[in-house]
Amino acid sequence: METTEDGPGAVILRAARPEDRTAIARIDGSFTTDRVLRVRRTDTGFEAAETAVDPPVRKTFPDDDCGEADDPGERTVVAEVRGRVCGFVTTVFQRWNRRLVVADLEVAPAHRGRGIGAALLARAVEEGRRLGAGHVWLEVTHLNAPAVRLYRRAGFELCGLDTSLYSGTASEGETALFMSRPL
């Protein structure tokens, strides 16, 4: 367990427990942003540049709980304030390529802007080091410029994209950005 600040509003990071499942599922991971990443092809690959949009984009993610069994390598750490779960990060270690995948990172809207996402991401990076990962990898939609800024501040770089990953889903037309950070 780790405390990121002192006092009654202290944020505590700890391993998720089975009883946290409902609180984790209730976290609103949606976001509204007036900036997105515009992705364009170049002669040598691609580039992504943050661009203003008007009106702002509101993104709500569909419930992706398919009822499948959890991956045995999956780990979830929660952020807790005053005994209530307000955020989490879920990671999966892929031993074959020494990659720690950040499968999900969410912070409840009322707790954003306090460094909780950065603390959870730092915990994921620490987990990667502990497991002997060579890098940490994640996927994010091009609409989520606030998350991309967080990832860049944490040392992640754009390493690829997929314009078809979301085909046939509620996110059709969005571009998946892949980001990684060596350890």
Side-chain angles (χ1 to χ4, degrees), residues 15-38:
R17 300 184 289 250
E19 61 267 24
D20 295 326
R21 231 182 174 138
T22 300
I24 288 169
R26 287 187 181 143
I27 291 177
D28 177 5
S30 67
F31 64 90
T32 301
T33 181
D34 62 355
R35 307 203 49 90
V36 300
L37 277 86
R38 294 282 183 223

Side-chain angles (χ1 to χ4, degrees), residues 10-170:
V11 178
I12 296 170
L13 302 182
R14 63 168 174 77
R17 300 184 289 250
E19 61 267 24
D20 295 326
R21 231 182 174 138
T22 300
I24 288 169
R26 287 187 181 143
I27 291 177
D28 177 5
S30 67
F31 64 90
T32 301
T33 181
D34 62 355
R35 307 203 49 90
V36 300
L37 277 86
R38 294 282 183 223
V39 179
R40 72 175 194 87
R41 292 178 198 212
T42 67
D43 291 339
T44 58
F46 61 91
E47 66 181 23
E50 201 170 299
T51 307
V53 291
D54 187 27
V57 173
R58 172 143 173 86
K59 172 75 177 174
T60 302
F61 295 96
D63 181 12
D64 60 358
D65 182 10
C66 302
E68 298 173 9
D70 291 342
D71 184 311
E74 184 177 283
R75 302 281 183 264
T76 299
V77 171
V78 298
E80 183 179 272
V81 174
R82 293 183 183 94
R84 299 182 65 94
V85 172
C86 64
F88 69 95
V89 63
T90 299
T91 59
V92 178
F93 181 61
Q94 297 175 336
R95 189 171 314 284
W96 75 273
N97 63 352
R98 296 180 43 239
R99 170 187 282 177
L100 184 81
V101 175
V102 176
D104 202 356
L105 178 112
E106 296 183 28
V107 176
H111 296 277
R112 292 179 188 161
R114 296 181 50 197
I116 294 171
L120 287 166
L121 191 57
R123 175 62 72 88
V125 168
E126 288 172 25
E127 175 75 357
R129 283 193 184 106
R130 187 185 69 74
L131 292 169
H135 63 283
V136 180
W137 183 94
L138 57 86
E139 168 263 320
V140 60
T141 173
H142 80 280
L143 297 179
N144 201 346
V148 171
R149 282 192 298 274
L150 167 68
Y151 302 144
R152 284 183 170 156
R153 282 192 308 268
F156 286 77
E157 294 182 356
L158 193 59
C159 64
L161 61 88
D162 188 337
T163 59
S164 65
L165 183 66
Y166 306 129
S167 295
T169 73

